[in-house]
Amino acid sequence: MLNSSSQSPADPASVRTGRKPSTSRGQLEQHALRLFADRGFDEVTVEDIASAAGIGRRTFFRYYRSKNDVVWGDFDGELQRMRELLAAYPRRTPMMDALRETIVEFNRIDAAQLPWHRLRMSLILEIPALQAHSTLRYASWRAVVAEFAAHRLGQPHDALLPQLVAHVCLGASVAAYQQWLRQDERGDQGAADLCAFLDEAHRAIGPGLQAYEPRT
């Protein structure tokens, strides 16, 4: 669905003592995710995150506009990567195959980062404040899909069919993520991984939408 670049939080024991190194965007995100995991999203303030990172409140806002934005990481950078993945497909690759493969690859997460990605997506999909905030992020994600579909369909990006493709792909991705999170809550062992859920969901919607791409 809506991936964002992040690194697994470092082991606290490995952090050097003495002068703190310069805080990066990724490090600030790691501190925030730790706090959200420990206290709950609503209980953590911008001041808490800044303090954990050893920076001031004003410095925090140089990286992120709000606490809500921290959860998304470098989302704009990831959307650019998604555009590049789609652009690399030759015209002979069917539209829905290209979208399915790109969305699966876009959401491929290193095993070490999976627990933190689960936390991130649980927050995005379950916290009311983040659900409202997500509408803008979802719109940006759909825009990337709609632009690609519009190019393949020979229509404006805001025409019905490109927008339909974008909305249906988002719905399939959200459903896959929710299933993935549910299996963790149930403690299922050996269940399908995230990419398998995403692949299955997009294979299910593919044939109906693929029929609208003109044959070349």
Side-chain angles (χ1 to χ4, degrees):
M1 183 188 70
L2 303 164
N3 192 11
S4 59
S5 65
S6 64
Q7 300 174 350
S8 299
D11 183 347
S14 68
V15 178
R16 296 179 302 170
T17 59
R19 183 179 179 183
K20 288 182 178 293
S22 298
T23 299
S24 70
R25 187 183 184 97
Q27 290 169 334
L28 189 57
E29 178 189 344
Q30 291 170 9
H31 285 296
L33 287 175
R34 281 198 192 93
L35 289 172
F36 297 152
D38 291 342
R39 304 184 194 174
F41 180 81
D42 291 332
E43 302 304 317
V44 177
T45 66
V46 167
E47 287 76 10
D48 292 332
I49 300 170
S51 176
I55 61 174
R57 191 173 186 273
R58 290 178 61 183
T59 303
F60 173 93
F61 287 115
R62 293 176 188 168
Y63 292 99
Y64 294 102
R65 290 174 295 181
S66 71
K67 180 180 75 170
N68 293 359
D69 287 308
V70 180
V71 179
W72 290 88
D74 184 20
F75 186 64
D76 291 338
E78 287 298 295
L79 284 185
Q80 180 56 35
R81 183 171 73 89
M82 187 173 172
R83 285 190 180 92
E84 292 168 358
L85 287 170
L86 287 169
Y89 279 90
R91 186 73 190 218
R92 65 177 178 273
T93 303
M95 174 180 68
M96 296 308 298
D97 286 350
L99 283 168
R100 173 177 51 80
E101 292 172 10
T102 292
I103 291 169
V104 169
E105 183 60 32
F106 179 71
N107 288 279
R108 194 176 300 281
I109 307 297
D110 290 342
Q113 297 181 15
L114 281 174
W116 295 95
H117 192 58
R118 284 184 185 276
L119 170 61
R120 180 199 309 281
M121 296 310 302
S122 293
L123 292 169
I124 289 172
L125 294 174
E126 296 172 8
I127 300 299
L130 284 172
Q131 288 177 332
H133 184 75
S134 296
T135 56
L136 295 176
R137 303 296 192 176
Y138 289 162
S140 297
W141 190 94
R142 289 197 310 268
V144 174
V145 176
E147 288 166 8
F148 177 77
H151 177 70
R152 287 301 191 91
L153 296 170
Q155 298 183 12
H157 70 91
D158 57 353
L160 175 60
L161 285 180
Q163 289 297 314
L164 177 63
V165 170
H167 278 266
V168 173
C169 284
L170 178 62
S173 298
V174 170
Y177 260 99
Q178 289 175 331
Q179 189 68 22
W180 180 60
L181 293 173
R182 249 183 244 117
Q183 78 167 22
D184 187 54
E185 293 171 359
R186 294 192 301 260
D188 291 353
Q189 299 296 321
D193 64 17
L194 173 59
C195 288
F197 280 129
L198 287 164
D199 185 80
E200 181 181 358
H202 285 273
R203 284 185 186 277
I205 65 172
L209 294 173
Q210 186 58 52
Y212 292 96
E213 183 176 15
R215 295 186 178 182
T216 57

